[in-house]
Amino acid sequence: NAGVTQTPKFRVLKTGQSMTLLCAQDMNHEYMYWYRQDPGMGLRLIHYSVGEGTTAKGEVPDGYNVSRLKKQNFLLGLESAAPSQTSVYFCASSKDPLLHSYNEQFFGPGTRLTVL
Amino acid sequence: AQSVAQPEDQVNVAEGNPLTVKCTYSVSGNPYLFWYVQYPNRGLQFLLKYITGDNLVKGSYGFEAEFNKSQTSFHLKKPSALVSDSALYFCAVRDQGYGNNRLAFGKGNQVVVIP
C-alpha cells in the first residue's frame, strides 16, 4: 500500500506559467482534498471532492482548478501561476464520513512549489 | 464556523520532561478532534482523535490528549519527551454536523525537545 502519493515533489515556475499537480491514493477512499501550507497559517483547504466526478470549493479556491475523473486521482491545476501561490501543497484522502463518521484524513508527502 | 487556536508558536522542553501542546476549538455542535504531527519535509501523520466517550484519548508514539468540553480544549500530552518528538504539531476540528468531512486546522506548534 503506497497510501497517498503526489507528483512532482518540487517545482519552480515563472509567473504566468501553468502546471498540474497529481495526487493518487490506493485506499479506495471516496473523499479527497487539496491543501496549501504557509508558515504561521497552518493548512488551508483549496478544493475537495466527495466522489468521482465531483469537486467543491474550499477556503482558498481562487487561482486553482481541480478535476476528479477517476476515483483514485485528484488533480490540482494552476492556469496562470502567481508568486502568491508559492507554497507547499498537500493532498489528502479519507473514507466517506457519512458511512464512517470517525475517520481521519491521510496525507501525501507534499509538493513544494516556487513561483518566481 | 469551526476553528482551532494553538496559542503558542513554539514549545521547548527538555528530554525526559512532560510535553504539553495546547489546543482550543470552536464549533457550533459537537466536535471531532484530531492531532497530527509533521516531521521536516514530510506530510502530516495522524496521531490520535476524539470522537466520543472517554475524555482521555491515547494515540501513537506514547501521546495522549484530554478532551475538556467546558474549556473547549484538547491538549496533547506526553509524559516523557524524546528528542525524536521534535516536530510540528497540528490540532484540527470538524463539526459532527458536517458531512463533507472538512477539517479546520490550527496554525501549528513547533516542538523542540532539548537533549
Side-chain angles (χ1 to χ4, degrees), chain A residues 29-32 48-55 68 70-71:
Chain A
H29 284 168
E30 287 292 331
Y31 283 47
M32 296 186 74
Y48 64 100
S49 168
V50 302
E52 182 179 318
T54 72
T55 63
R68 183 103 180 266
K70 295 183 178 180
K71 184 177 182 179

Side-chain angles (χ1 to χ4, degrees), chain A residues 12-101:
Chain A
V12 178
L13 291 178
K14 294 181 180 179
T15 297
Q17 287 185 317
S18 63
M19 78 163 294
T20 300
L21 282 67
L22 171 64
C23 175
Q25 53 94 6
D26 62 1
M27 296 175 282
N28 201 34
H29 284 168
E30 287 292 331
Y31 283 47
M32 296 186 74
Y33 317 80
W34 275 107
Y35 293 91
R36 60 177 289 171
Q37 182 183 26
D38 301 293
M41 302 189 73
L43 274 76
R44 293 181 292 170
L45 183 65
I46 305 171
H47 286 280
Y48 64 100
S49 168
V50 302
E52 182 179 318
T54 72
T55 63
K57 294 180 180 180
E59 184 183 354
V60 288
D62 293 343
Y64 305 95
N65 56 75
V66 288
S67 64
R68 183 103 180 266
L69 299 180
K70 295 183 178 180
K71 184 177 182 179
Q72 64 268 34
N73 296 337
F74 195 29
L75 278 63
L76 178 71
L78 286 73
E79 292 185 345
S80 179
S84 61
Q85 294 178 305
T86 293
S87 187
V88 181
Y89 292 85
F90 287 101
C91 177
S93 70
S94 73
K95 294 179 181 179
D96 184 341
L98 297 179
L99 300 177
H100 310 273
S101 59

